[in-house]
Amino acid sequence: MPTNSFDNFFLSWLPDKSKIKRPYYLTLANALEEDIVSGKLAAGTRLPPQRELADYLDLNFTTVTQAYNLCREKNLIYGVTGRGTFVSPMTDKNSQIQRKGSSDIIELALVTGFDRLKAPIIEASENVLKKGYIEELYSYTEPAGHLHQRAAGAHWMSRMDVHTDSEHTAIFSGAQNVISTAMLSLFRIGDKLAVDEYTYSNLIGTARLSHIRLVPVRGDNCGMFAENLEELCRKEDIRGIFLMPNCANPTTFSIPEKRKDELAQVIARYNLILIEDDNTGVLPEQNRNYHSMFTRLPDQTIYICNSTMALCNGLRVTFAAFPEAFRERLLNAQFHLNIKTSSLDAEIMTELILSGKAGKIMEQKAELAYRRNQLFDEIFPEAVKPGSPSAFFRWLPLSQLNMDEMELERQLLQQGVSVYGSYRFAVQRNQGNFIRLAISSPENEDQLKKGLKIVRDFLATQ
């Protein structure tokens, strides 16, 4: 029995004893890593002395030492002689896991968008290099993008039912930079942002760095419930909301038009700032009844057109539309953060859009994604069905998992497959077990099938 019951004794970290199982050092290390990357243990937190923690858990001192050493090797914690052990700064759940060699791994963790479709990108790049004003593209001008590039962006976004003009369009080097700029310019320290229970992992990290509190809202496979958002707004001072209406990352859920209407009413009533992240690779023009949240709430919404990233991950070009009320603060922050997109990349994207190649690439990728989703459903018929039949990733529920998700990631990596567990996307402590599988990332369908079967067969043994 432990020497100290700790009933009236404070420890800065109290792991769940019921989850510490053999091998004790490994499950203890996994528990510590989960609480660090989830934000439960903030950077700089002084961890319990190893002997006190061993006493509390009724474990051998060397077992705790082994667990601490594992986390120290991953730069999650660090020691200061004479002072103790502390949680490392800038630790987040997107830190890369050590891999045994990328050529040996089937990539189902990081989402890429069929990058082998490069011929139109190369052709567009060659056309740009032949233009008479190429020298201008190497000058540092127009942080938000050249006028004709922003006009092309506005034209592209109109296909997603986002109607704006070049004066209310800016070009960013990726959706994450739009999110970061919006948080730093439109929100204050301590503000609260309503989000889905599982959301974009980099948003969680950015909110932590910006000292903005994410507040999860209950929902279903059609997105968050409007009544729960309403209740939350009545009880707490919610400043804004983050939505991914077309294909939420990681759940793949899509918000139907009726639910959008219900959410829009609440957002308007409480004057929330809406960040609408459209990360789908499929243009909704196929659906005549599609309407963006931006169209519903044009004076409150920053729209992030992330479909350009699906065209080519190497072209760091994302268009953002915003209302006049946000214009000065947003563009001022973009300038001071100095995150200007390469003018050359923006020009290549402009060439792709105006030549019609962008639309054709998206159609090809949608067809490839559709076939891969069919393959996924054959291997995992029990999986969560995506809101879009051409989703680039899938959300797989895990039943009766006999290990935590971090250990699952490690063991699958040893099997030659990289996956991401749901703890990476959970706003609060993870309540369920899921994994996200990036079906667009493997080079071909045979490689995808091999990777999915490895995952299936491994889970069947658990």
Side-chain angles (χ1 to χ4, degrees):
M1 293 294 291
T3 303
N4 192 327
S5 70
F6 292 89
D7 289 338
N8 298 300
F9 192 84
F10 173 78
L11 288 182
S12 59
W13 180 54
L14 294 175
D16 186 344
K17 293 182 181 180
S18 66
K19 294 184 178 181
I20 309 302
K21 302 175 182 178
R22 295 181 185 276
Y24 296 122
Y25 79 96
L26 186 57
T27 56
L28 181 60
N30 288 342
L32 178 55
E33 181 176 353
E34 181 176 356
D35 284 349
I36 290 174
V37 300
S38 68
K40 184 177 179 179
L41 284 174
T45 299
R46 184 179 183 274
L47 294 173
Q50 294 168 37
R51 291 192 183 279
E52 292 184 6
L53 186 59
D55 189 10
Y56 168 71
L57 296 172
D58 196 19
L59 293 176
N60 189 286
F61 167 77
T62 58
T63 299
V64 178
T65 300
Q66 283 181 288
Y68 273 36
N69 285 341
L70 278 177
C71 290
R72 187 177 290 107
E73 290 172 2
K74 298 172 72 173
N75 296 318
L76 294 168
I77 62 177
Y78 65 100
V80 178
T81 303
R83 293 184 55 198
T85 305
F86 300 82
V87 176
S88 298
M90 300 298 292
T91 300
D92 63 67
K93 61 189 66 182
N94 297 307
S95 300
Q96 293 300 304
I97 300 172
Q98 279 298 115
R99 301 186 178 186
K100 61 182 181 182
S102 58
S103 61
D104 301 323
I105 300 299
I106 297 176
E107 183 61 71
L108 292 175
L110 299 174
V111 179
T112 59
F114 305 102
D115 286 346
R116 70 178 185 273
L117 296 177
K118 294 178 180 177
I121 310 294
I122 294 172
E123 183 181 354
S125 302
E126 292 172 343
N127 291 339
V128 167
L129 292 175
K130 296 175 184 176
K131 292 183 177 180
Y133 54 85
I134 185 66
E135 291 184 6
E136 297 180 20
L137 300 178
Y138 290 100
S139 301
Y140 185 86
T141 57
E142 300 292 339
H146 290 276
L147 178 61
H148 70 285
Q149 296 167 347
R150 288 185 275 120
H155 171 69
W156 179 257
M157 288 187 288
S158 68
R159 303 177 68 166
M160 276 69 79
D161 190 46
V162 174
H163 303 285
T164 186
D165 55 36
S166 58
E167 295 303 309
H168 296 89
T169 298
I171 303 175
F172 289 81
S173 54
Q176 181 58 40
N177 281 332
V178 188
I179 293 171
S180 299
T181 302
M183 285 190 164
L184 290 171
S185 62
L186 303 178
F187 295 86
R188 299 180 297 271
I189 291 175
D191 278 350
K192 299 174 183 178
L193 186 72
V195 296
D196 292 305
E197 294 175 295
Y198 293 98
T199 191
Y200 177 46
S201 58
N202 282 0
L203 173 74
I204 299 173
T206 301
R208 188 178 305 137
L209 290 172
S210 306
H211 303 286
I212 293 171
R213 180 185 167 192
L214 300 184
V215 185
V217 183
R218 286 185 57 244
D220 57 11
N221 59 3
C222 292
M224 63 175 65
F225 294 124
E227 57 268 28
N228 286 85
L229 177 62
E230 174 92 43
E231 181 181 5
L232 185 66
C233 289
R234 284 200 304 265
K235 292 181 178 179
E236 303 196 40
D237 184 18
I238 303 297
R239 173 69 172 163
I241 182 171
F242 177 84
L243 293 175
M244 304 180 87
N246 287 329
C247 186
N249 187 358
T251 62
T252 75
F253 296 156
S254 295
I255 306 178
E257 298 301 314
K258 184 175 184 297
R259 181 73 61 85
K260 287 182 187 176
D261 289 337
E262 296 167 351
L263 289 169
Q265 292 175 13
V266 179
I267 294 169
R269 187 176 305 125
Y270 291 91
N271 195 31
L272 304 182
I273 296 171
L274 168 60
I275 302 176
E276 180 182 8
D277 187 355
D278 182 1
N279 77 325
T280 183
V282 182
L283 299 179
E285 63 185 9
Q286 301 164 359
N287 182 357
R288 299 296 181 185
N289 296 319
Y290 172 85
H291 297 289
S292 67
M293 294 296 290
F294 184 91
T295 294
R296 291 172 166 86
L297 300 162
D299 297 327
Q300 296 173 235
T301 304
I302 298 172
Y303 174 83
I304 304 172
C305 180
N306 208 13
S307 60
T308 50
M309 298 304 292
L311 284 171
C312 178
N313 287 317
L315 289 178
R316 303 299 299 173
V317 179
T318 294
F319 298 113
F322 49 84
E324 180 63 28
F326 298 162
R327 175 186 171 82
E328 183 177 354
R329 284 177 289 169
L330 199 68
L331 296 184
N332 187 51
Q334 184 188 32
F335 173 78
H336 286 290
L337 289 171
N338 196 21
I339 50 176
K340 182 183 185 303
T341 303
S342 160
S343 295
L344 182 59
D345 281 1
E347 190 67 18
I348 294 171
M349 185 62 70
T350 300
E351 173 73 14
L352 287 167
I353 291 172
L354 299 183
S355 67
K357 291 184 177 69
K360 292 179 180 178
I361 293 172
M362 297 302 293
E363 290 173 3
Q364 287 179 283
K365 291 193 174 187
E367 178 59 32
L368 288 171
Y370 179 78
R371 293 206 302 266
R372 292 199 179 190
N373 275 279
Q374 288 183 312
L375 174 60
F376 185 91
D377 288 332
E378 291 174 7
I379 297 175
F380 293 107
E382 75 280 11
V384 177
K385 302 304 177 186
S388 167
S390 300
F392 283 13
F393 50 88
R394 295 294 295 268
W395 189 235
L396 180 67
L398 306 176
S399 59
Q400 298 180 346
L401 188 64
N402 295 321
M403 64 184 73
D404 62 48
E405 291 177 349
M406 291 183 189
E407 181 61 18
L408 175 66
E409 288 181 354
R410 292 190 184 93
Q411 292 202 24
L412 280 173
L413 201 59
Q414 294 300 314
Q415 299 287 325
V417 179
S418 172
V419 304
Y420 276 168
S422 58
Y423 72 93
R424 295 174 178 270
F425 309 95
V427 178
Q428 293 183 340
R429 192 170 182 85
N430 201 355
Q431 297 299 316
N433 291 312
F434 300 85
I435 52 175
R436 191 195 69 181
L437 301 169
I439 60 174
S440 63
S441 298
E443 292 184 8
N444 51 58
E445 291 185 12
D446 287 340
Q447 190 182 58
L448 173 63
K449 183 183 295 185
K450 178 181 177 181
L452 293 178
K453 286 184 176 179
I454 290 173
V455 174
R456 182 194 64 189
D457 294 344
F458 178 82
L459 294 175
T461 65
Q462 301 306 307

